Amino acid sequence: MNYWDMLPEGCIAEIVSHTTPLDACRVALVSPAVRSVADSDPVWDKFLPPDYRQLIARAVDKKPIHQLLSASPSKKDLYLSLAHQPLLIDAGDMSFSLDKRTGKKCFMMGARALTILWGDNPSYWSWRSDSGSRFGKSIELISVWWFEIHGRISTSLLSGDTVYTTYLVYKPTKTLHGFEDLPLEISVGIDGEESIKRNVFVDPEGVVQRENVTRPRRMGLFHNFRAGRQNPRTRKDGWLEIELAEYYNKEGENRELQIILWEEKSGNWKSGLIIQGLEIRPMHRRLDKFWGPVQKLLMEPQIFI
């Protein structure tokens, strides 16, 4: 007997809406009747962030998303569109998307949204059209003695009660030089407060050294940081990314998160780095312990009868 078919649709919708988008897709496989409820607007509306309409209104090109909204009223289709196609907002200097698994908000600050030391001097940095960048532009390091980049984002934009990880998204060129054994200092934290500091090496062929991590003396209960991975990794879009540090965004937070990359001691000229931007997206933790009890609950609905 399929006990799912004995449950009222409203009950199924309420159960599924308290899980995750990934779980909703799993539940949809139970039966055609359950699928119609699991794919319904009341369920997927809960997975969309409360301010998604305001963020869509900030889009540079509203035509694609408006076409989607007018062509299909499905909230699931809208969710999947925002998960697969980052939306350019704020004059095209920032992108917004959804994490496909969780529905949490993701943002990338494009190079033009960053403060780059001597970035407006063509002798040191060069802006270039870049079809491989989601922003259509990137900035290439020609030659500098001192490397320093700042990024800022309001924590009110981020999803509440969420652990985020920050990344530098970049590419080396054939003329990459000066980063072989040079660690970049990283600082991630709330502006005006103590933040985590650590080293990263952006040269994928460079010598991997032991990193130094300095944590704040007093990290609040809701502001924990963790040092990220040491080695750069290749993304699906072909760019490299290196994990900087994590930040826990408290529900209702409205402050400024600051991300800084710089070199503590300059000792040589550096060149050959293309920067797309700084990305901040939810960290994925293993859900095995959580999914087990939930799966048992969903697959044994007779306990509600």
Side-chain angles (χ1 to χ4, degrees), residues 27 165 215 229:
V27 173
T165 306
R215 299 177 181 274
R229 300 180 180 179

Side-chain angles (χ1 to χ4, degrees), residues 19 45 72 86 139 176 217 242 276 301:
T19 59
D45 189 56
S72 173
I139 189 169
L176 181 66
R217 291 188 298 273
I242 189 164
Q276 180 176 183

Side-chain angles (χ1 to χ4, degrees), residues 126-168:
S126 174
W127 290 99
R128 46 180 277 172
S129 297
D130 194 334
S131 59
S133 168
R134 67 179 60 174
F135 305 99
K137 286 186 176 293
S138 59
I139 189 169
E140 180 177 350
L141 173 58
I142 304 302
S143 184
V144 294
W145 181 263
W146 184 266
F147 183 93
E148 187 170 335
I149 294 177
H150 292 243
R152 297 172 182 267
I153 186 171
S154 172
T155 58
S156 63
L157 284 177
L158 308 178
S159 297
D161 191 25
T162 301
V163 179
Y164 276 95
T165 306
T166 55
Y167 299 86
L168 172 67

Side-chain angles (χ1 to χ4, degrees), residues 77-290:
D77 287 344
L78 175 60
Y79 179 97
L80 294 176
S81 176
L82 292 173
H84 290 291
Q85 300 175 0
L87 197 63
L88 295 185
I89 62 175
D90 300 350
D93 293 336
M94 182 179 290
S95 72
F96 154 67
S97 61
L98 296 180
D99 179 73
K100 184 178 179 180
R101 290 175 55 182
T102 65
K104 303 290 187 179
K105 291 181 284 186
C106 309
F107 293 92
M108 183 187 287
M109 295 170 276
R112 287 198 177 276
L114 307 177
T115 300
I116 301 175
L117 190 63
W118 295 308
D120 57 351
N121 190 323
S123 297
Y124 301 121
W125 291 86
S126 174
W127 290 99
R128 46 180 277 172
S129 297
D130 194 334
S131 59
S133 168
R134 67 179 60 174
F135 305 99
K137 286 186 176 293
S138 59
I139 189 169
E140 180 177 350
L141 173 58
I142 304 302
S143 184
V144 294
W145 181 263
W146 184 266
F147 183 93
E148 187 170 335
I149 294 177
H150 292 243
R152 297 172 182 267
I153 186 171
S154 172
T155 58
S156 63
L157 284 177
L158 308 178
S159 297
D161 191 25
T162 301
V163 179
Y164 276 95
T165 306
T166 55
Y167 299 86
L168 172 67
V169 183
Y170 68 101
K171 280 182 180 179
T173 70
K174 294 180 180 179
T175 61
L176 181 66
H177 172 73
F179 292 98
E180 295 85 354
D181 302 314
L182 175 69
L184 292 181
E185 300 291 320
I186 305 298
S187 174
V188 176
I190 296 298
D191 190 23
E193 296 185 359
E194 287 185 282
S195 59
I196 189 171
K197 293 180 174 63
R198 63 177 294 248
N199 300 337
V200 297
F201 293 83
V202 297
D203 185 355
E205 303 298 330
V207 178
V208 177
Q209 301 181 23
R210 183 175 180 272
E211 68 176 359
N212 296 315
V213 178
T214 303
R215 299 177 181 274
R217 291 188 298 273
R218 293 185 178 182
M219 292 190 300
L221 178 62
F222 298 105
H223 294 91
N224 290 321
F225 299 86
R226 183 182 68 83
R229 300 180 180 179
Q230 172 72 35
N231 297 326
R233 59 185 177 187
T234 303
R235 297 157 52 100
K236 292 182 179 179
D237 57 12
W239 291 77
L240 292 181
E241 67 178 20
I242 189 164
E243 187 177 332
L244 305 180
E246 291 173 7
Y247 171 72
Y248 179 86
N249 191 50
K250 184 182 177 182
E251 186 71 43
E253 189 92 303
N254 186 13
R255 295 195 285 177
E256 189 171 63
L257 182 65
Q258 183 170 249
I259 306 167
I260 308 175
L261 298 83
W262 80 100
E263 50 181 311
E264 185 176 8
K265 296 180 180 179
S266 178
N268 61 307
W269 288 93
K270 291 156 288 292
S271 62
L273 210 61
I274 302 173
I275 306 295
Q276 180 176 183
L278 292 173
E279 189 169 41
I280 178 166
R281 62 180 190 258
M283 184 187 71
H284 287 161
R285 296 186 184 277
R286 290 183 59 85
L287 301 177
D288 298 354
K289 292 183 180 180
F290 169 76

